[in-house]
Amino acid sequence: MRLHYHITHLRLSLSCALGVHHTLNEVCHQASLEEQRVIDLLHDIPGDGFSIGHVVLTHQAIFAITTKGRQRPPYTTAESPVRVSGERLLFPHNEERRPLREARRAERWLAAQINRHASDTIPVYAVLVLPGWQIEHDDRMGDVSVVNETGLAKLITEARAENISIEQYRRIDRLLRERLRHDLRP
């Protein structure tokens, strides 16, 4: 029974990660066609003892994206939401804090890596994606954006916060790609 649960969890995680990957690829493709915007998408950036599922680099913002797949209990419907209440995710069947901490850790690590090599402080935004769930926020918005796939596409395409110079953009892109190459060496 334990093996069955483990395999089911792995399938769900893979399915969610692929869904988010597909959404991000669509966003990148649409942005390049419609707005002449450049969006770079990097996958599985190795951190210190963890990896960041996706990093989206635009001239407006940098997003550290963490994806978590959660199975619905049989008694819930597709409209059953996840409520984000401060530091907690309130699912219909339980409560979790760990995914928000993991997204925050990824954002802090990425910001430290980038800002160590940047001339100006570059903001990095933490995003937690919960594919397939409707998301409801309470009055307090935290430092992690919690979204589903549709919200992820909207968050990235509507990013207008900062303006990262071309030089900084290239430096950050090179830094992250070097990190990927370094991790792939035998």
Side-chain angles (χ1 to χ4, degrees):
M1 190 66 174
R2 179 177 269 168
L3 180 61
H4 174 71
Y5 173 79
H6 186 68
I7 291 171
T8 302
H9 179 72
L10 288 174
R11 283 183 179 158
L12 177 64
S13 297
L14 179 61
S15 174
C16 290
L18 289 174
V20 168
H21 175 83
H22 178 72
T23 299
L24 291 172
N25 279 337
E26 284 293 315
V27 167
C28 292
H29 182 69
Q30 284 300 106
S32 66
L33 291 177
E34 294 173 5
E35 301 177 29
Q36 302 302 319
R37 284 176 64 188
V38 176
I39 298 177
D40 277 328
L41 176 57
L42 300 153
H43 305 283
D44 296 322
I45 300 292
D48 296 330
F50 64 97
S51 71
I52 302 172
H54 307 279
V55 173
V56 176
L57 176 59
T58 72
H59 286 288
Q60 289 74 33
I62 299 171
F63 301 95
I65 299 173
T66 303
T67 304
K68 294 295 177 185
R70 294 296 181 263
Q71 195 164 17
R72 284 185 190 284
Y75 57 84
T76 62
T77 65
E79 291 78 36
S80 298
V82 174
R83 281 195 11 251
V84 181
S85 179
E87 297 293 314
R88 300 176 302 163
L89 297 173
L90 304 172
F91 289 89
H93 59 294
N94 72 344
E95 168 184 318
E96 292 187 45
R97 295 172 189 255
R98 178 188 257 166
L100 290 168
R101 285 194 301 261
E102 289 176 2
R104 203 171 289 113
R105 175 180 66 168
E107 175 265 326
R108 287 182 183 141
W109 180 87
L110 185 60
Q113 295 297 310
I114 288 171
N115 289 316
R116 186 179 322 151
H117 299 283
S119 54
D120 296 328
T121 301
I122 309 250
V124 176
Y125 299 98
V127 181
L128 175 62
V129 184
L130 299 170
W133 288 90
Q134 297 300 317
I135 312 294
E136 289 182 359
H137 297 274
D138 66 5
D139 294 336
R140 300 174 288 157
M141 287 299 291
D143 56 343
V144 177
S145 297
V146 181
V147 296
N148 57 19
E149 310 94 290
T150 306
L152 176 62
K154 185 176 179 181
L155 180 72
I156 292 169
T157 57
E158 294 180 357
R160 305 274 184 244
E162 303 295 325
N163 194 10
I164 301 170
S165 71
I166 292 172
E167 179 184 313
Q168 289 174 325
Y169 183 92
R170 287 181 181 149
R171 188 178 307 135
I172 293 165
D173 186 55
R174 195 173 24 233
L175 170 75
L176 295 175
R177 290 183 190 281
E178 183 62 34
R179 181 81 184 186
L180 275 172
R181 267 190 238 100
H182 177 70
D183 189 59
L184 295 175
R185 289 184 189 147

